Amino acid sequence: SLRYEGGELVEALTRGDGETGELVTENARTIADIPLVLPLDAPRSLTVRGEAFLSRRRWEELNHQRDARREPRFANPRNAASGTLKLLDSREVAARGLSFLPWQALWQGDEASDHARSMTQLETWGFGTMPAHASGDLGTMLDFIATQAEARLRLPFDTDGVVLKVLDFGVQKQLGATDR
C-alpha cells in the first residue's frame, strides 16, 4: 500500500498478516515502477494498493547469481519479492529489480466513478497497468477468462488466475469486501 501526500510518496506498507503490515517506504522508493512524485493533477491524498513482484526472468537471473556464489536459491518469484521488500539494505532491494502493478486507487474529492477509470488515471500518473482486461456481460467475461487461461502463461510474472472486479464503486460498497 503506497500513500501519497501532496503528490509525494510518504509511506509504503506491506500487507503483513492482514491487520498489521511492515513499513517498507525506503525499499519501495527503489522500485522503478513506483512514482516518487505525482503530477500536479493528482489528488493531494492518494493511496495506491498493488503488488510488488519479480518477473520470472529476473528471478532466474538472481538464482543464477546465487548459484555462482553457492547461496541458496529463491524458491519462487513471489517469496523472493516478499522477502526482498523486507530487507534492511535498500541498495540490495534496488539491485534485485522488483516491479510494481497497482490494483486499487483510493482518493477523496474528484475521484473516478469506477475501477477502470481509476486504473486509467493511475496510468496517466506514471503507474503501470495490467496488460489485459475486459468488461461486459457474463458471456464476454467468460470468454475473457477462457482466453486468459493460456495468455497468462505468457505474462512475465506468475498469476494465480483472473481477477473479476465490479467496476462501479457504489456497487462495490454495497457488496462489501472479504479477505478472499
Side-chain angles (χ1 to χ4, degrees):
S1 182
L2 308 172
R3 189 169 59 85
Y4 291 83
E5 294 295 336
E8 291 188 36
L9 178 64
V10 295
E11 183 177 70
L13 298 168
T14 67
R15 176 180 25 218
D17 62 8
E19 297 217 4
T20 304
E22 293 183 50
L23 186 65
V24 293
T25 309
E26 292 311 309
N27 290 345
R29 290 178 189 276
T30 71
I31 300 173
D33 299 331
I34 295 177
L36 302 180
V37 178
L38 299 175
L40 294 176
D41 68 331
R44 289 210 42 81
S45 182
L46 170 71
T47 299
V48 178
R49 294 181 180 152
E51 184 83 19
F53 65 94
L54 275 176
S55 69
R56 277 190 227 90
R57 180 175 178 222
R58 186 65 186 132
W59 172 68
E60 289 170 4
E61 290 170 354
L62 290 171
N63 271 340
H64 288 306
Q65 293 169 6
R66 294 177 76 80
D67 289 344
R69 294 189 304 259
R70 299 190 191 286
E71 296 174 352
R73 295 172 64 88
F74 291 122
N76 59 61
R78 181 171 280 168
N79 287 356
S82 175
T84 296
L85 273 177
K86 298 173 190 175
L87 290 174
L88 297 177
D89 185 350
S90 59
R91 291 172 299 189
E92 177 66 19
V93 176
R96 290 200 185 169
L98 291 174
S99 298
F100 179 83
L101 281 175
W103 48 258
Q104 184 181 34
L106 306 165
W107 71 88
Q108 296 295 318
D110 190 29
E111 65 184 48
S113 60
D114 70 42
H115 177 73
R117 287 191 182 107
S118 70
M119 292 295 101
T120 299
Q121 190 62 62
L122 285 178
E123 191 170 20
T124 68
W125 294 332
F127 290 92
T129 58
M130 284 297 291
H133 55 275
S135 63
D137 63 15
L138 180 60
T140 301
M141 298 314 300
L142 291 174
D143 289 344
F144 178 75
I145 291 168
T147 63
Q148 292 308 299
E150 185 179 319
R152 73 185 189 97
L153 300 175
R154 293 188 300 272
L155 291 171
F157 49 86
D158 292 331
T159 69
D160 293 332
V162 173
V163 174
L164 298 180
K165 301 237 358 162
V166 173
L167 296 181
D168 184 282
F169 289 146
V171 175
Q172 282 184 11
K173 288 177 185 171
Q174 286 178 332
L175 292 172
T178 69
D179 63 348
R180 300 200 185 340

